[in-house]
Amino acid sequence: MSVKADIDFQKDLFDAANKMRGSVAPADYKHYVLPLIFLRYLSNKYEQRRNALEFIVKDPSSDWYTDDTEMQEVIITDPDQYKAENVYVIPEEARWSYIMKNAKQPNIKEIIDNAMKRIEEENPELEGMLPRIFQGSNIPAENVSGLIEIFSRDAFSVNNEQSVDILGRTYEYFIGSFASTEGSRGGEFFTPSSIVKLLVAMLEPISGTVFDPACGSGGMFIQSEEYTPRKNALSFYGQENVTTTVRLGKMNVLLHGINADIRLGDSLLNDQFPDLKADYVIANPPFNMKDWGADRVAKNDARLIGPVTNSNANYMWMQHFLYHLNDKGTAGFVMANGAMTTNTTGEKEVRQKLIEEGYVDCIVQLPEKLFFTTGIPCCLFFLSKNRDGKGEFRNRKNEILFIDARKLGTLVSRKQKALSQAEIDKVSNVYHAYKNIETGEYEDIAGFCKVATLEKVEASDYKLTPGIYVGTEVIDEEDVPFEEKMEQLKQQLLEQFEESNRLQEKIRGDLEELV
């Protein structure tokens, strides 16, 4: 693995760029800044390839050496020499050197829009990715010049071998920073990195097909590609419902050297990949979508294993994920905590069917404050079609792993927590041990993880909250702060109330049958 460049100046870059926002709304500003980073990246890749070709044709020891100036120019300008290295041809008036030279011109916004247009004309596969929005915007020309200056720093120079890598990671940093400043709206296109890393670490995508039908800015793809030790061993497919987000995602994956097929459309109502069966489905779908169009889903839709309800799309997403798994595939996705226990007609029926048919592999309850979106507590669901013991994993068809990770995470700001790498390893290692080892390595840990039988889950009214199953951590009572002890007792009491209510309902039902 190559050593990555030190880019601890990212925050300074973002702060500097953000100061130039002018009259542009915070939620729209990213659509000006991020394409500039992408344009700089495309230009750098082209210039580096062009410089390499110039060296080759002029080097006497090279097989391509020629002293014929015209022949040199033919080789250097041959588009195939760029496409062979996954490099896009950039016309002179769209190269960063030209833009930088004209940064102070009063028509710089027109120059940038033209650069975007010319790049798409030369490279039809980039159509729709480079927005021509500068000239018609309220952003002052001098602010655009300031942004160009920021992304013209030495660290991004074409002569810096690591500039392409730096630009890719700067883009991703900026996406996260924009998402953070936008709050709940930011969560629509960005999933915090520690959650993405946890999902990927648990799924272990080494080779095969990765599908994300709510792919946002493409973070799941980038982390999956970083995880696998085998270059080009994964193929990526994604869908997203917002045009501008599709653009962000396509730019992001290309900046990281990934060719992903990302398509526009409503995944639940207009599936762009109806025949795709993936090895891994990994997603952070929008939570608790109401009035999402359940009446437009045909009764004989191949994805359905149970009913759909217009009051909430959570369980339609789950059926969508399950449908897109191949015979050995696993889906890992973020879900609102309410999905673990909902008794709403339709939702509970699907959850019960997923459990009874042996698809639910693992549930992880997450700490609060991990998301920009706020206050909705979240969990991770893992559905799998490799639980029968006929593949590389052991037979676990009659059991489910529950992990209560609510005590993990550290505050990285006043409002947000993040999981450390050690905590990600702790959770993912438990899941791997549960799947891979028949006996021995996996052990239940009181208060943290527990393997429960389907019979136990059925007896708990098909509820999937880990706290019901993992028990209480064995600790020295004297070491527990009063506030923490009270919170534990409160949670335990609430769970006992819930169990009491369930038993009362069961007894009432039994009595009615006797009458």
Side-chain angles (χ1 to χ4, degrees):
M1 180 183 292
S2 61
V3 177
K4 290 188 174 181
D6 179 13
I7 49 172
D8 57 1
F9 55 81
Q10 289 169 310
K11 185 179 185 302
D12 293 337
L13 283 178
F14 181 78
D15 290 343
N18 208 32
K19 286 177 183 176
M20 296 177 185
R21 184 164 57 84
S23 55
V24 178
D28 295 329
Y29 191 47
K30 62 180 174 289
H31 299 303
Y32 297 92
V33 177
L34 297 174
L36 279 179
I37 299 175
F38 186 56
L39 193 152
R40 176 61 151 146
Y41 165 85
L42 293 175
S43 183
N44 275 22
K45 288 271 286 183
Y46 172 81
E47 294 284 1
Q48 287 177 347
R49 178 58 179 162
R50 184 182 176 91
N51 291 342
L53 289 171
E54 287 180 349
F55 178 80
I56 289 170
V57 298
K58 295 176 181 179
D59 180 8
S61 64
S62 165
D63 292 339
W64 285 8
Y65 168 73
T66 176
D67 57 2
D68 184 331
T69 305
E70 288 188 11
M71 182 55 68
Q72 288 179 351
E73 186 65 16
V74 167
I75 296 173
I76 292 169
T77 59
D78 180 4
D80 290 340
Q81 300 299 337
Y82 295 86
K83 291 177 182 177
E85 297 295 323
N86 293 317
V87 174
Y88 296 97
V89 175
I90 309 301
E92 185 175 353
E93 65 271 32
R95 295 173 200 165
W96 195 261
S97 55
Y98 179 87
I99 290 170
M100 192 166 56
K101 184 172 68 175
N102 289 281
K104 303 292 186 182
Q105 296 298 320
N107 66 334
I108 184 57
K109 295 198 291 184
E110 180 184 353
I111 289 172
I112 291 177
D113 279 354
N114 184 60
M116 303 288 191
K117 177 173 177 278
R118 291 288 295 116
I119 291 173
E120 287 194 1
E121 286 174 348
E122 289 287 335
N123 306 277
E125 57 269 52
L126 294 176
E127 184 178 355
M129 290 179 58
L130 295 158
R132 273 86 81 183
I133 58 176
F134 283 84
Q135 198 171 359
S137 72
N138 293 325
I139 185 170
E142 57 268 26
N143 289 16
V144 176
S145 300
L147 289 173
I148 293 169
E149 185 177 344
I150 287 172
F151 301 123
S152 296
R153 296 186 182 187
D154 288 344
F156 304 124
S157 167
V158 70
N159 297 319
N160 178 1
E161 291 183 1
Q162 294 181 307
S163 66
V164 167
D165 176 46
I166 291 173
L167 282 162
R169 287 183 291 132
T170 298
Y171 183 99
E172 198 166 14
Y173 179 87
F174 270 47
I175 284 184
S177 297
F178 281 126
S180 179
T181 59
E182 290 180 37
S184 60
R185 282 194 62 177
E188 294 175 5
F189 62 87
F190 182 81
T191 304
S193 61
S194 68
I195 298 168
V196 179
K197 288 179 180 178
L198 177 57
L199 276 169
V200 170
M202 293 182 75
L203 283 175
E204 298 184 288
I206 302 299
S207 63
T209 302
V210 178
F211 180 47
D212 182 353
C215 66
S217 57
M220 303 289 187
F221 297 152
I222 291 165
Q223 189 57 42
S224 296
E225 180 68 15
E226 289 187 3
Y227 185 88
T228 179
R230 295 163 52 189
K231 187 173 176 60
N232 299 321
L234 295 171
S235 55
F236 299 98
Y237 299 86
Q239 187 165 340
E240 176 55 51
N241 197 30
V242 180
T243 303
T244 51
T245 303
V246 169
R247 183 184 296 142
L248 294 182
K250 286 184 174 181
M251 287 192 286
N252 198 16
V253 295
L254 282 174
L255 274 157
H256 288 81
I258 298 171
N259 289 315
D261 185 352
I262 299 176
R263 301 180 187 177
L264 176 66
D266 185 319
S267 288
L268 300 185
L269 300 177
N270 185 19
D271 188 356
Q272 294 293 303
F273 300 93
D275 300 319
L276 177 65
K277 300 294 184 181
D279 297 283
Y280 311 96
V281 172
I282 179 168
N284 176 20
F287 300 153
N288 303 331
M289 289 168 53
K290 299 184 184 303
D291 300 321
W292 56 274
D295 56 326
R296 293 168 56 190
V297 177
K299 300 298 183 186
N300 61 348
D301 190 306
R303 296 172 296 175
L304 301 185
I305 65 167
V308 295
T309 168
N310 215 29
S311 63
N312 196 314
N314 290 345
Y315 274 89
M316 183 62 213
W317 279 111
M318 293 193 206
Q319 293 178 84
H320 185 72
F321 299 150
L322 185 69
Y323 169 79
H324 279 291
L325 290 177
N326 64 27
D327 291 341
K328 300 297 180 185
T330 300
F333 51 92
V334 187
M335 191 51 63
N337 273 2
M340 297 187 291
T341 57
T342 176
N343 282 320
T344 302
T345 302
E347 295 177 65
K348 184 181 179 182
E349 290 176 61
V350 177
R351 184 174 76 245
Q352 182 172 334
K353 199 155 189 180
L354 289 170
I355 292 167
E356 290 178 341
E357 295 188 6
Y359 292 122
V360 181
D361 201 30
C362 175
I363 303 290
V364 182
Q365 191 162 2
L366 296 172
E368 61 177 7
K369 297 184 178 180
L370 286 181
F371 290 83
F372 299 129
T373 47
T374 79
I376 301 178
C378 301
C379 58
L380 302 182
F381 271 65
F382 291 85
L383 306 180
S384 184
K385 292 185 177 178
N386 63 26
R387 287 165 44 85
D388 57 8
K390 294 179 181 176
E392 58 184 306
F393 301 111
R394 72 177 185 85
N395 187 342
R396 55 202 191 284
K397 192 95 174 176
N398 192 45
E399 57 194 32
I400 299 172
L401 171 64
F402 293 94
I403 301 175
D404 188 344
R406 286 176 295 173
K407 292 184 179 180
L408 304 184
T410 304
L411 282 171
V412 292
S413 69
R414 187 170 59 87
K415 293 183 177 180
Q416 194 180 10
K417 285 183 177 180
L419 299 170
S420 68
Q421 187 58 53
E423 290 171 330
I424 290 170
D425 292 342
K426 177 180 180 180
V427 175
S428 60
N429 287 343
V430 166
Y431 183 50
H432 300 160
Y434 157 75
K435 287 199 304 180
N436 289 304
I437 306 300
E438 193 71 49
T439 56
E441 189 171 322
Y442 172 82
E443 290 183 3
D444 291 337
I445 301 172
F448 180 64
C449 63
K450 171 75 175 181
V451 173
T453 63
L454 296 194
E455 290 73 21
K456 170 66 174 173
V457 176
E458 180 182 354
S460 299
D461 197 29
Y462 296 96
K463 287 179 167 46
L464 294 174
T465 307
I468 296 172
Y469 306 98
V470 301
T472 305
E473 183 179 2
V474 179
I475 49 177
D476 186 342
E477 289 290 325
E478 298 303 317
D479 292 339
V480 181
F482 174 78
E483 295 82 1
E484 186 175 331
K485 187 183 296 185
M486 283 301 297
E487 184 59 34
Q488 290 173 355
L489 291 171
K490 176 184 171 184
Q491 182 63 33
Q492 187 176 351
L493 186 60
L494 289 173
E495 289 172 2
Q496 289 172 345
F497 281 160
E498 187 175 330
E499 179 67 7
S500 173
N501 290 337
R502 187 189 70 78
L503 290 172
Q504 286 183 47
E505 288 298 319
K506 188 175 187 307
I507 292 169
R508 186 178 289 112
D510 291 344
L511 289 173
E512 288 176 355
E513 290 179 7
L514 292 174
V515 176

